[in-house]
Amino acid sequence: YLSLSHHFLPNPATPLSQPMPRCCSAMILNPFLVAMAVAFTSAVTGCPVLCTCHSQVVDCSGQRLFSVPPDLPLDTRNLSLAHNRITTIPPGYLTCYVELRVLDLRNNSLAELPAGLFLMTRRLAHLDLSYNNFSHVGADMFQEAHSLVRINLGHNPWLRKVHPQAFQGLAQLRDLDLSYGGLSFLSLEALEGLPGLVTLQIGGNPWVCSCTMEPLLKWLRNRIQRCMSDSQLAECRAPPEVEGAPLFSLTEESFKACHLTLTLDDYLFIAFVGFVVSIASVATNFLLGITANCCHRWSKASEDEEI
């Protein structure tokens, strides 16, 4: 202590107003800078147990994890949690990872995502949610994930519903995979807000090719440039007259019955036929009643004669 004090005391021959040399300031501040640097480095480079980390890629796939690993490196760009047994993701889990570009959650047991999961991951471009247990895609599922280019929701066998605003605000989305789920209907509104959509995979779903499907098919023919050889996999499950038919083989003629309109003459004819049928029904019931009454009297008269 005395030795250090001796070096830091100003020279009596030096005026007190002279500033302290830079090396002295550096010696005082260095311990704090080193401590901060060490703390920052450990936060950035620390790798979770059972995961491997290299060049901003964190791979935790195939580790039989039941929950997501905590404390990922802050500069993570590619995160793989595939082939595990994860059932839930905590709210705000991705808040600190603003550099995240790729998130792979395929082949887990996820049934839903917490609201606002992607609020801070503004650079997320690729999201894989395939082979999970999602039953619906909500309106706020991808909230604020405006940089998404690809979403894979394929092979979710319980997926029955996609909200009309599920993909709202995803103007950069190019590839959307909804194949091999339980979808029987998809609202046109869910796709109209995707100007950059190029690839849409919808095969392997039990589509109901009724009149409600016509707007979607018409839009697909006009907007989608290619369907990744998916057109032959998309088949109608109902109604019976088109069961097994490729979805994209349906034409405007297939939906001709959906556009039939009735004229005034048609309504008058239907009213006349209904009136005639009603009169005929009343007359038939009247005749049947008379016949039954006569039969009853004849039977009673026969019994009286025998007595």
Side-chain angles (χ1 to χ4, degrees):
Y1 177 81
L2 292 176
S3 176
L4 288 174
S5 299
H6 173 75
H7 285 290
F8 280 102
L9 286 176
N11 192 331
T14 305
L16 293 177
S17 61
Q18 183 176 348
M20 185 179 295
R22 292 182 182 178
C23 60
C24 296
S25 302
M27 291 177 66
I28 294 174
L29 294 177
N30 271 343
F32 298 99
L33 294 175
V34 171
M36 292 176 63
V38 170
F40 178 78
T41 302
S42 62
V44 171
T45 59
C47 193
V49 180
L50 301 179
C51 301
T52 58
C53 304
H54 179 69
S55 300
Q56 297 180 300
V57 176
V58 179
D59 187 359
C60 307
S61 60
Q63 299 298 325
R64 299 183 180 180
L65 301 176
F66 287 92
S67 60
V68 294
D71 301 328
L72 303 173
L74 295 179
D75 62 345
T76 300
R77 288 195 177 190
N78 189 326
L79 174 59
S80 177
L81 297 169
H83 310 298
N84 284 296
R85 302 173 183 178
I86 299 171
T87 57
T88 59
I89 296 180
Y93 178 66
L94 300 177
T95 301
C96 297
Y97 312 116
V98 295
E99 298 294 329
L100 193 64
R101 305 293 204 281
V102 179
L103 179 58
D104 189 353
L105 290 166
R106 59 189 157 137
N107 195 18
N108 277 284
S109 301
L110 294 169
E112 60 181 0
L113 297 179
L117 180 64
F118 307 112
L119 286 176
M120 301 303 296
T121 56
R122 305 291 177 85
R123 300 180 181 182
L124 184 65
H126 299 272
L127 177 62
D128 197 337
L129 299 171
S130 59
Y131 294 93
N132 276 283
N133 297 326
F134 291 98
S135 60
H136 68 283
V137 181
D140 58 351
M141 189 167 179
F142 307 109
Q143 185 181 2
E144 299 298 330
H146 300 314
S147 297
L148 278 173
V149 175
R150 173 173 173 75
I151 298 176
N152 189 348
L153 280 161
H155 295 272
N156 277 274
W158 311 115
L159 185 58
R160 299 284 191 271
K161 182 180 180 181
V162 175
H163 195 278
Q165 275 106 38
F167 310 113
Q168 187 176 17
L170 306 184
Q172 299 186 44
L173 192 67
R174 292 176 56 84
D175 304 319
L176 178 60
D177 192 340
L178 297 171
S179 61
Y180 295 97
L183 294 172
S184 59
F185 171 75
L186 181 62
S187 171
L188 175 58
E189 187 179 350
L191 302 178
E192 281 183 319
L194 302 175
L197 190 63
V198 174
T199 302
L200 177 65
Q201 294 180 270
I202 57 175
N205 286 285
W207 297 109
V208 176
C209 301
S210 58
C211 295
T212 56
M213 184 64 73
E214 184 184 15
L216 176 63
L217 287 177
K218 186 176 181 180
W219 185 87
L220 288 174
R221 293 191 188 98
N222 294 335
R223 296 294 300 274
I224 299 298
Q225 301 173 14
R226 56 189 175 88
C227 287
M228 294 286 290
S229 302
D230 186 51
S231 58
Q232 297 302 317
L233 299 176
E235 296 182 351
C236 299
R237 185 69 60 86
E241 55 267 23
V242 294
E243 183 178 359
L247 188 63
F248 290 93
S249 69
L250 301 181
T251 62
E252 292 184 4
E253 188 69 21
S254 306
F255 298 97
K256 186 177 180 180
C258 301
H259 303 287
L260 292 178
T261 56
L262 298 177
T263 64
L264 179 60
D265 293 339
D266 295 327
Y267 284 111
L268 291 175
F269 177 76
I270 292 173
F272 175 74
V273 170
F275 176 75
V276 171
V277 170
S278 299
I279 295 298
S281 177
V282 172
T284 301
N285 290 333
F286 179 73
L287 290 175
L288 288 175
I290 293 177
T291 303
N293 189 35
C294 291
C295 290
H296 178 69
R297 289 185 178 183
W298 179 78
S299 176
K300 187 175 181 181
S302 299
E303 291 178 356
D304 293 340
E305 289 181 356
E306 289 179 359
I307 295 174

